[in-house]
Amino acid sequence: MNERSTVSCSVSLRPPLVLPPDPPTIIKQSMKEHIVDAKDTMVIECEAKGNPHPIFSWRRNGKYYNVARDPQASMRRRSGTLDIYAWNNPEQYEAEYQCIASNEYGSAYSNKIRLRLYRAPVWPREIVEPVVISAGLPLVLSCDPPPGPPKPETYWMTAFPTMRPVRHDRRVSMGVNGDLYFSNVLFNDSATDYCCNARFPYKNVIQQKMPVVVKVLTSECDFEILVIFRQLFMLLS
């Protein structure tokens, strides 16, 4: 007589996981100062989570921005991120934007995002007259870099081919505007190539101002040396 073995299987049916209601939370957004290149698609990021999934809207300069009616802009699916193509008049999109993510349990607001167009820095070429000064006097060498955006990082160096940074100490310092300050000049400060450099971080572009000549006169120097120095500069410029 054959015995049959029976196998019993028990299946436990669990109810599907139901996420609790959750008001929106912004999880990704562009920086407050957002620099873009008008030649590329201008992207303003806004991502949010919540349950149910949020719907998105935008304000521009404090007013409702109807993205659907703008032929040069679109909003990504299930996202608030804006793609702006700006085929025509990109300057009109320089404004303050704010993303709003909403569901039936509340709303979340992004930072106010200032969109600015990148402009290639232009430092006009100029003839910089030499600076002739007596030893012991204070001196300021102006930088006046292109304003950007973005705001450049400035530093002073000697010109090519030496390309040495100007050392800062108690006597020599640089102001927040990029100007170079000497509390009192020494004869050793004389040089033919003080150059202010401006680095623009958006595209890592470095612009250099025309070098300035500094001649420090000591008590032995007389007026004739000053005249010869100025004549030489005029011949070289």
Side-chain angles (χ1 to χ4, degrees), residues 157-164 192-195 197 208-209 211:
M157 298 187 70
T158 56
F160 184 84
T162 55
M163 299 295 289
R164 295 190 306 270
T192 60
D193 54 2
Y194 282 101
C195 290
N197 295 262
Q208 186 180 77
K209 190 175 183 178

Side-chain angles (χ1 to χ4, degrees), residues 3-9:
E3 295 182 356
R4 292 183 179 182
S5 60
T6 59
V7 178
S8 62
C9 296

Side-chain angles (χ1 to χ4, degrees), residues 102-113:
S102 302
N103 64 16
E104 59 189 279
Y105 298 103
S107 298
Y109 293 75
S110 74
N111 294 325
K112 292 181 179 179
I113 302 165

Side-chain angles (χ1 to χ4, degrees), residues 25 32 45 53 70 76 82 88 96 132 204 224:
T25 302
K32 292 181 180 180
E45 292 184 314
H53 190 75
D70 189 340
R76 296 181 187 178
L82 287 179
N88 182 38
E96 183 183 82
V132 181
N204 204 27
E224 292 182 1

Side-chain angles (χ1 to χ4, degrees), residues 28 30 55 90 123 167 182 204:
K28 190 175 183 180
S30 292
I55 59 173
W123 212 331
R167 292 185 59 185
F182 297 79
N204 204 27

